[in-house]
């Protein structure tokens, strides 16, 4: 050691890292890991929310298309009664449990299904926890935002799609008796 310079003689050699350094590194890595996991959870949650909203909108459009493809009112004598009595809902001979019997717009009033089904009653794939609901009301064509008790020649149809009790899509359309499908 006598031949070494002064600053080298008294220098200690380090053979590893200290316990304090290990604890600090572990703490730093754990903080970064917790932050990354929180961010990943937020991304997954946002992706699920976006996916659910898109699916709900698609379900609402499909159901609204089905409803709008039916007549404004019951054909024949039933249609005359609908117009005179100012009622919405299913008529005699139609079943609220079988959409295949729905032949006019107001048959859908009050209808809901969970899980959602196609018109023939088949449950839609991967739709557990989802709900379809429809409301049909008479409106004045000049002010369609306000419902009326009288048939003024227009009906407002509201389709609501929800999941887990939260409405994810709401679609509103007007149907008049001047339109023939």
């Amino acid at each position: 050691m006598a031949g070494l310079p002064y600053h080298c003689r008294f220098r200690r050699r380090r053979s590893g890292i200290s316990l304090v350094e290990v604890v600090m590194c572990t703490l730093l890595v754990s903080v970064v890991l917790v932050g990354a996991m929180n961010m990943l959870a937020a991304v997954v949650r946002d992706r699920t929310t976006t996916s659910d909203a898109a699916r709900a909108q698609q379900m609402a459009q499909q159901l609204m298309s089905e409803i709008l493809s039916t007549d404004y009112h019951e054909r024949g004598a039933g249609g005359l009664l609908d117009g005179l009595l100012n009622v919405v809902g299913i008529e005699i001979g139609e079943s609220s449990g079988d959409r295949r019997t729905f032949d006019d717009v107001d048959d859908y009033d009050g209808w809901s299904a969970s899980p959602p089904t196609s018109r023939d009653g088949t449950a839609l794939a991967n739709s557990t926890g989802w709900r379809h609901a429809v409301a049909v009301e008479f409106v004045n064509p000049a002010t369609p935002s306000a419902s009326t008790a009288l048939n003024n020649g227009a009906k407002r149809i509201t389709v609501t799609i929800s999941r887990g009790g939260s409405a994810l899509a709401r679609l509103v359309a007007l149907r008049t008796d001047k339109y023939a499908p």
Side-chain angles (χ1 to χ4, degrees), residues 7-66:
H7 67 280
C8 291
R9 277 190 242 157
F10 298 103
R11 185 174 243 195
R12 294 171 135 178
R13 290 186 168 216
R14 293 182 67 174
S15 60
I17 56 175
S18 70
L19 182 59
V20 173
E21 291 171 326
V22 169
V23 169
M24 291 304 290
C25 285
T26 303
L27 183 64
L28 181 63
V29 168
S30 63
V31 167
V32 169
L33 187 60
V34 167
M37 294 304 282
N38 284 337
M39 189 164 65
L40 180 64
V43 167
V44 169
R45 193 171 34 253
D46 285 348
R47 181 171 281 176
T48 301
T49 300
T50 303
S51 174
D52 284 353
R55 183 167 185 211
Q57 190 65 32
Q58 182 182 26
M59 286 178 171
Q61 289 171 348
Q62 288 173 342
L63 184 55
M64 186 63 79
S65 293
E66 174 186 322

Side-chain angles (χ1 to χ4, degrees), residues 75-95:
R75 292 183 184 214
L80 293 174
L81 286 176
D82 279 355
L84 294 173
L85 300 176
N86 295 312
V87 295
V88 290
I90 60 172
E91 289 81 21
I92 296 172
E94 297 171 340
S95 169

Side-chain angles (χ1 to χ4, degrees), residues 33-152:
L33 187 60
V34 167
M37 294 304 282
N38 284 337
M39 189 164 65
L40 180 64
V43 167
V44 169
R45 193 171 34 253
D46 285 348
R47 181 171 281 176
T48 301
T49 300
T50 303
S51 174
D52 284 353
R55 183 167 185 211
Q57 190 65 32
Q58 182 182 26
M59 286 178 171
Q61 289 171 348
Q62 288 173 342
L63 184 55
M64 186 63 79
S65 293
E66 174 186 322
I67 295 168
L68 292 175
S69 71
T70 62
D71 291 331
Y72 175 80
H73 55 76
E74 190 73 21
R75 292 183 184 214
L80 293 174
L81 286 176
D82 279 355
L84 294 173
L85 300 176
N86 295 312
V87 295
V88 290
I90 60 172
E91 289 81 21
I92 296 172
E94 297 171 340
S95 169
S96 62
D98 186 1
R99 281 191 355 236
R100 291 177 293 188
T101 65
F102 292 2
D103 56 359
D104 60 285
V105 170
D106 64 67
D107 290 346
Y108 288 87
D109 182 51
W111 177 83
S112 67
S114 181
T117 59
S118 62
R119 188 165 188 162
D120 67 4
T122 307
L124 300 179
N126 301 319
S127 60
T128 303
W130 290 81
R131 173 176 286 288
H132 282 175
V134 180
V136 179
E137 303 168 288
F138 288 121
V139 295
N140 184 330
T143 55
S145 61
S147 59
T148 68
L150 300 174
N151 183 356
N152 293 308

